[in-house]
Amino acid sequence: MWSRRSLLKSAGAVSLTLGFLPWLSFSATTVERRFVFVILRGAMDGLAAVPPLGDPGYRKARGSIALGRSDTLELDGFFAIHKSLRFLHEAFKDGELSIFHAIATPYRERSHFDGQDILENGGIRALGLKTGWLGRALDSEALTSKSATGLAISQSMPMVFWGSANATSWAPSVMPDAAQGLLERLSYLYEDDPLIETAFQNALAADAIAPDMSMMGSGGRRGLLGNFTTAAKAAGAFLSQQDGPTFAVLEITGWDTHANQGTGSGQLANNLEALDGGLKTLKQTLGKTWAGTTVFVATEFGRTAAANGSGGTDHGTGSAAFLLGGAVNGGRIIVDWPGLKSSQLYEGRDLRPTLDMRAPLKGVLHDFLEIPTAELSGIVFPNSALVKGLKDLTRG
Amino acid sequence: MITIEAAIAATRFGLGPRTGEMAAIISPEKWLLAQLSNDRQEEPSLKGLPRTQTIVSEYLSTFGGEKRSRRREPTSEQRQALQKKLAAIYRREASARFHAGLETKNPFRERLVHFWSDHFTVSITKPILSGFVGAFEREAIRPHVTGRFEDLLMAACRHPAMILYLDNHTSIGPNSPAGRRGNRGLNENLAREILELHTLGVNGGYRQKDVTNFAKVLTGWTFTGPDSRFGGKVGEFQFVWQLHEPGSHRILGKSYRENGINQPAKVLRDIANHPSTARHIALKMARYFIADDPGKGVVGRLEEAFLESRGDLRHVTETLVRSPEAWAPEQKKFKQPFEYILSTLRAVPAVEVEDDKILGVLSLMGQRTFSAPSPAGWPDETLFWASPDGIMRRVEWSNALSHRLRKLPSYEDLIAESLGPLASEKLKKVASRAENRRQALALVFASPEFMRR
């Protein structure tokens, strides 16, 4: 039984009398739109996910791991999409998916960890910022005025949300719920430790509207996260509620394919299939909320154009990213293709980035979530005035 | 009377006090330093576990050896049987590691093992590693945590677990005898992570060219598979010249001439003692034990200690213990889940929790043993672990543990033995007003001072 909502309300009531709400509440939001950020940790090979089969340099550059027509589904005659991404292919045809290619964050080295930090902190240096761009977007005037909230389906807090008290994290547990009496006492005990207090209160808020995982076919009394599809299902269950979070973050690992990545089948194909299946589940679980949803799928950087000595690829630069959802003005591949001849490659080895990751993100945050440009260029993505947000990525 | 320093020694540097531990600490500094001497006994729970050589020869032979011509694709039953055997070894190892932490009388030394094991992460996220992660920690890390950094680096990089984890067994010099026969070539995974994670650090001053050249130098740096294709003893490190890229290679501005295994060994020893490595290790260690932002003073002292002693880790660790920053009363670090679970169980008399359950709880908290998400190991920042979900799991664990205790200590005793002077007046007050004895104990386990160190 869910016994926590009442505690949440009483805690909220106390705070209201003090004139402020130090932690988030899911009951107040007036935002109907939803934005989901999916982080592919480990550097997804964009040249395998969305191969440029029409580029004469493709087969030569990739060698043994080049994909053929039978490994892919057609997009526009030049680009194809890996056949494991069946749902994304359908979404493209239905106008609900835009693909960005030769895209990268401002990061130009090849460390996963710095690369992921920059993907999440929205800056240009790994240690430059210790808060996340999605957290800063959540704390923007445009969204706080509507009491928007964020939720990561995760056992820890991803950096992209760091710094915002309006973000929470949630993962299912199989341990018994703590009794009301204990929670009330802890609520009082934690008042002297703001970090723990905010986290605790935000956990209670998430629990109060959490789906019953055992009803979602994932086993156990309250179930477990298990795989990406389960996480996507949980995210969908939160987001589809009227007072659900505006932002959600999902993560999927396993993209660091240094050896035997495979072609139409194999390690990478399996991971793409997991991603595709999860995104399909997200759409299904969202139901009618899907129409007001955009999902951005991104990775920290791409992989080498050429296969390495072990049938895999090493760390590279440019990759692909996806913008998916019922609110997406899709069916487009947005790219300034740099080519794959060795003279065209970045440092002679990687797909050269021609699109800054911040451009589509700023476009979506501006058009879809109505965050003003000045705030986007100064705070959400600091000093990014020169990177213009892409227009018309979303509908309405 | 238990001093605040004794509580800090047992909590910030140890794994949380066992009953009587704090009272027995007369000089906190000496108590910690004594744990650094090299004649410490092996932890009893670690005895009798299989060696890497045994695992390779007994288990990997399921695949009929590594030689392709002789290899028959294993059936799916064989594959499953192997994975099952490896999973059984993993569970034994995870359980032994947990018991070492629970029972050790040298908790600071055990923390050093956790630190260095994480620094040289190998992870079961690559399933074949299930059989090797425990052996790696016991064989490559434990013997060297108070030795020379270059010996630790060498032991970690020579271990089959690291070679498998970072693919170096598949990296072949394009101009080596083997490379000229086939179309296989370099894999730069191990070379990059040694430079970025194990030694110089990401801003340590190397370029892509250094990574590529180091990868060439490391070709042939592998271990002997079950078929002993190039001779050698099964399951042991081996340098195979037939796979090695010939010639001189330039790394960080210095040329290394071809000299068999001495070429990669020389590079490893040079980068182990590089000033960037000293800076990288100093910051990471201070951050692990003291605070996310430990301050320039202590980091500088550790860096200097590393350089002046040519990477003597005992000297570096002693310098850490002797730094005033280490003894600041504020508990700035937030325990990682493994440390938190251990500290709760060390605080109570024997409690019947099955080892598999512990592993399950650690999974729920996002830190299943030996399963770090990447070669960078577990994140160490407070903001990562003190997540809403993370806090709620600790609350649930505190509640569950308080209900599992057969013999209930009084909350006063639990506070005195597990927190001592670290306990706030507020905690004492709240615990005294609990609804029942079990709830009082749960409040102690779930208190901020118990989650922090």
Side-chain angles (χ1 to χ4, degrees), chain A residues 344-383:
Chain A
Q344 294 166 324
L345 295 176
Y346 179 70
E347 295 188 345
R349 58 178 262 154
D350 305 337
L351 177 61
R352 180 179 296 280
T354 53
L355 177 60
D356 190 311
M357 187 86 77
R358 294 172 294 180
L361 290 173
K362 286 174 79 169
V364 173
L365 292 178
H366 179 270
D367 293 356
F368 188 62
L369 292 158
E370 297 168 337
I371 302 178
T373 302
E375 205 157 355
L376 289 174
S377 298
I379 297 168
V380 178
F381 297 102
N383 304 312

Side-chain angles (χ1 to χ4, degrees), chain A residues 4 64 107 109-114 117 127 130 154-159 162-163 167-183 185-193 195-196 198-200 202-204 207 222-224 253 256 258-260 304 307-312 314-315 347 349, chain B residues 68 126 167 170-172 183-189 192-193 196-197 202-203 206-208 212 287 334 361-367 373-376 381-400 424 426-427 429-430 433-435 439 442-444 446-449 451-452:
Chain A
R4 288 173 182 167
S64 62
Y107 183 61
E109 305 295 324
R110 297 183 184 85
S111 153
H112 288 303
F113 320 108
D114 278 7
D117 280 3
L127 294 172
K130 275 289 179 186
S154 177
Q155 291 160 329
S156 49
M157 195 53 122
M159 186 186 270
W162 283 14
T168 186
S169 70
W170 183 88
S173 170
V174 288
M175 285 192 276
D177 286 343
Q180 181 80 1
L182 178 61
L183 296 177
R185 285 168 175 78
L186 287 172
S187 186
Y188 170 65
L189 186 60
Y190 291 162
E191 279 174 9
D192 295 347
D193 192 321
L195 183 86
I196 291 178
T198 301
F200 176 70
N202 286 352
L204 289 173
D207 264 354
R222 282 159 65 191
L224 287 172
T253 59
D256 197 18
H258 280 282
N260 306 318
T304 46
N308 67 11
S310 331
D314 290 323
H315 301 182
E347 295 188 345
R349 58 178 262 154
Chain B
R68 281 172 182 274
K126 213 171 199 176
D167 304 311
T170 70
S171 186
I172 291 164
N183 60 354
R184 298 182 77 79
L186 292 184
N187 183 313
E188 63 183 40
N189 205 7
R192 177 183 303 283
E193 303 306 18
E196 176 186 329
L197 301 174
V202 68
N203 299 315
Y206 61 90
R207 314 295 310 166
Q208 177 58 42
T212 310
R287 181 176 284 162
F334 191 77
V361 171
L362 288 168
S363 302
L364 284 180
M365 293 184 170
Q367 198 175 39
S374 80
E381 291 103 329
T382 296
L383 286 177
F384 182 84
W385 291 115
S387 67
D389 188 74
I391 299 288
M392 193 50 80
R393 293 297 87 77
R394 289 179 195 214
V395 171
E396 288 169 356
W397 168 253
S398 300
N399 179 49
S424 66
K426 188 171 184 182
L427 172 61
K429 196 175 79 186
V430 171
R433 294 179 189 169
E435 287 174 319
Q439 190 186 67
L443 284 162
V444 178
S447 65
E449 44 270 60
M451 293 193 206
R452 293 177 176 274

Side-chain angles (χ1 to χ4, degrees), chain A residues 262-310:
Chain A
T263 50
S265 62
Q267 195 192 140
L268 181 56
N270 292 344
N271 227 29
L272 289 169
E273 198 159 322
L275 172 67
D276 192 68
L279 293 172
K280 185 176 179 180
T281 302
L282 181 64
K283 175 178 176 174
Q284 288 164 348
T285 320
L286 279 173
K288 61 182 186 347
T289 310
W290 178 254
T293 297
T294 56
V295 182
F296 196 86
V297 183
T299 190
E300 70 263 29
F301 47 67
R303 310 193 67 84
T304 46
N308 67 11
S310 331

Side-chain angles (χ1 to χ4, degrees), chain B residues 147-444:
Chain B
R148 285 202 172 279
F149 179 73
E150 63 175 54
D151 295 335
L152 174 61
L153 174 70
M154 199 66 84
C157 294
R158 286 168 62 106
H159 198 280
M162 184 63 82
I163 290 165
L164 274 171
Y165 182 52
L166 294 177
D167 304 311
N168 212 58
H169 61 303
T170 70
S171 186
I172 291 164
N175 298 305
S176 67
R180 275 186 270 117
R181 276 202 307 275
N183 60 354
R184 298 182 77 79
L186 292 184
N187 183 313
E188 63 183 40
N189 205 7
L190 178 65
R192 177 183 303 283
E193 303 306 18
I194 290 176
L195 294 175
E196 176 186 329
L197 301 174
H198 301 158
T199 60
L200 307 177
V202 68
N203 299 315
Y206 61 90
R207 314 295 310 166
Q208 177 58 42
K209 195 83 198 134
D210 297 310
V211 175
T212 310
N213 287 346
F214 188 28
K216 288 178 186 167
V217 165
L218 282 176
T219 47
W221 182 277
T222 185
F223 69 97
T224 307
D227 68 340
S228 312
R229 186 175 169 195
F230 296 105
K233 276 172 88 177
V234 174
E236 284 190 6
F237 171 80
Q238 192 188 4
F239 181 76
V240 181
W241 66 268
Q242 291 95 326
L243 305 175
H244 184 70
E245 179 73 2
S248 295
H249 303 289
R250 210 170 172 78
I251 296 164
L252 297 171
K254 185 170 164 183
S255 181
Y256 293 87
R257 63 183 178 83
E258 191 177 335
N259 188 11
I261 189 178
N262 295 321
Q263 185 192 41
K266 181 88 178 74
V267 179
L268 282 167
R269 291 198 189 280
D270 282 353
I271 58 174
N273 294 293
H274 194 280
S276 295
T277 302
R279 197 171 312 131
H280 179 209
I281 300 293
L283 176 62
K284 204 170 165 186
M285 203 164 178
R287 181 176 284 162
Y288 184 77
F289 284 101
I290 299 176
D292 288 0
D293 184 6
K296 285 206 169 77
V298 59
V299 176
R301 255 172 277 132
L302 294 189
E303 183 181 341
E304 201 177 306
F306 189 104
L307 286 173
E308 78 194 5
S309 68
R310 213 178 143 78
D312 177 347
L313 296 180
R314 183 169 175 180
H315 179 60
V316 176
T317 312
E318 282 170 356
T319 308
L320 172 76
V321 170
R322 294 200 168 108
S323 292
E325 293 89 339
W327 301 94
E330 193 187 343
Q331 294 180 288
K332 287 194 177 159
K333 283 305 280 194
F334 191 77
K335 290 174 187 171
Q336 295 186 17
F338 185 58
E339 303 160 352
Y340 172 72
I341 294 289
L342 278 174
S343 64
T344 59
L345 288 169
R346 283 170 66 87
V348 294
V351 55
E352 282 169 41
V353 188
E354 303 86 342
D355 292 352
D356 275 359
K357 280 247 167 64
I358 298 289
L359 209 49
V361 171
L362 288 168
S363 302
L364 284 180
M365 293 184 170
Q367 198 175 39
R368 191 175 176 84
T369 304
F370 296 127
S371 77
S374 80
W378 296 106
D380 188 29
E381 291 103 329
T382 296
L383 286 177
F384 182 84
W385 291 115
S387 67
D389 188 74
I391 299 288
M392 193 50 80
R393 293 297 87 77
R394 289 179 195 214
V395 171
E396 288 169 356
W397 168 253
S398 300
N399 179 49
L401 179 60
S402 72
H403 281 91
R404 273 191 174 255
L405 294 174
R406 291 243 180 104
K407 265 180 66 186
L408 297 185
S410 72
Y411 77 85
E412 291 99 330
D413 283 353
L414 180 66
I415 287 176
E417 288 288 350
S418 67
L419 293 167
L422 296 173
S424 66
E425 288 309 314
K426 188 171 184 182
L427 172 61
K428 291 177 195 165
K429 196 175 79 186
V430 171
S432 74
R433 294 179 189 169
E435 287 174 319
N436 55 58
R437 288 181 66 191
R438 290 188 194 273
Q439 190 186 67
L441 301 179
L443 284 162
V444 178

Side-chain angles (χ1 to χ4, degrees), chain B residues 87 89-99 110 114 117-118 121-125 129-130 133-134 137 142 336-339 341-342 355-373 378 385:
Chain B
I89 302 176
Y90 164 74
R91 280 198 302 275
R92 264 182 84 189
E93 292 280 4
S95 154
R97 185 188 209 243
F98 168 73
H99 280 280
E110 202 60 21
H114 298 168
S117 185
D118 184 72
T121 285
V122 292
S123 168
I124 61 165
T125 50
L129 267 292
S130 304
V133 284
E137 183 173 280
R142 285 187 181 271
Q336 295 186 17
F338 185 58
E339 303 160 352
I341 294 289
L342 278 174
D355 292 352
D356 275 359
K357 280 247 167 64
I358 298 289
L359 209 49
V361 171
L362 288 168
S363 302
L364 284 180
M365 293 184 170
Q367 198 175 39
R368 191 175 176 84
T369 304
F370 296 127
S371 77
W378 296 106
W385 291 115

